[in-house]
Amino acid sequence: MPEFRLHHVAVAVRSIDPALGLFRDALEGSDLGGGEEPGRGDGGWRWRQVGYPGGGRVELLEPNGDGFLSRFLAARGEGLHHLTFRTDDLGVAVERFRQRGYELVDVDLADPRWKEAFVRPSRAHGTLIQLAEMQG
């Protein structure tokens, strides 16, 4: 059976820099770095992670053009975007979720370094849940 661990909580923000005042500075987190994702024809996004003692992480997501994140912010405003649970075997996890009747979307098992699948929010009490298997 695959093991699950909460990896990070992702927060959608209009701009990362002001959010760092709270999540890094006021809450005394450690800057774990970030990057930019070009997206898959959806405008892309920038991200930055902040770490806390005990291993907790908050990932800040900022849109880079028009796309899913811009639409999310327009519809819901800033706030919780998704929860990411790390697993040691995403293929088995996907099958078990499906057997239990959960609809998974955007399942991508192609990259051996980063595999992911999402539990549709309508089946997860309104919360987007990302399942991920990552190397390193």
Side-chain angles (χ1 to χ4, degrees), residues 47-87:
W47 60 276
R48 188 102 172 232
Q49 285 194 351
V50 178
Y52 302 95
R57 295 178 186 201
V58 171
E59 182 175 72
L60 302 171
L61 302 173
E62 172 188 328
N64 185 13
D66 293 329
F68 78 91
L69 198 51
S70 294
R71 291 189 300 275
F72 177 92
L73 287 166
R76 295 177 184 87
E78 293 185 318
L80 177 67
H81 185 266
H82 68 268
L83 304 175
T84 297
F85 287 86
R86 186 175 183 167
T87 183

Side-chain angles (χ1 to χ4, degrees), residues 18-108:
L20 287 173
L22 171 62
F23 291 99
R24 182 192 60 204
D25 302 337
L27 292 170
E28 299 182 6
S30 301
D31 194 329
L32 300 176
E36 191 165 332
E37 297 292 331
R40 300 177 189 122
D42 60 4
W45 65 94
R46 288 188 264 299
W47 60 276
R48 188 102 172 232
Q49 285 194 351
V50 178
Y52 302 95
R57 295 178 186 201
V58 171
E59 182 175 72
L60 302 171
L61 302 173
E62 172 188 328
N64 185 13
D66 293 329
F68 78 91
L69 198 51
S70 294
R71 291 189 300 275
F72 177 92
L73 287 166
R76 295 177 184 87
E78 293 185 318
L80 177 67
H81 185 266
H82 68 268
L83 304 175
T84 297
F85 287 86
R86 186 175 183 167
T87 183
D88 55 340
D89 191 335
L90 187 60
V92 171
V94 163
E95 187 56 36
R96 289 192 183 204
F97 269 75
R98 287 181 174 154
Q99 288 174 354
R100 290 185 170 108
Y102 293 98
E103 182 180 358
L104 296 168
V105 296
D106 297 327
V107 176
D108 185 353

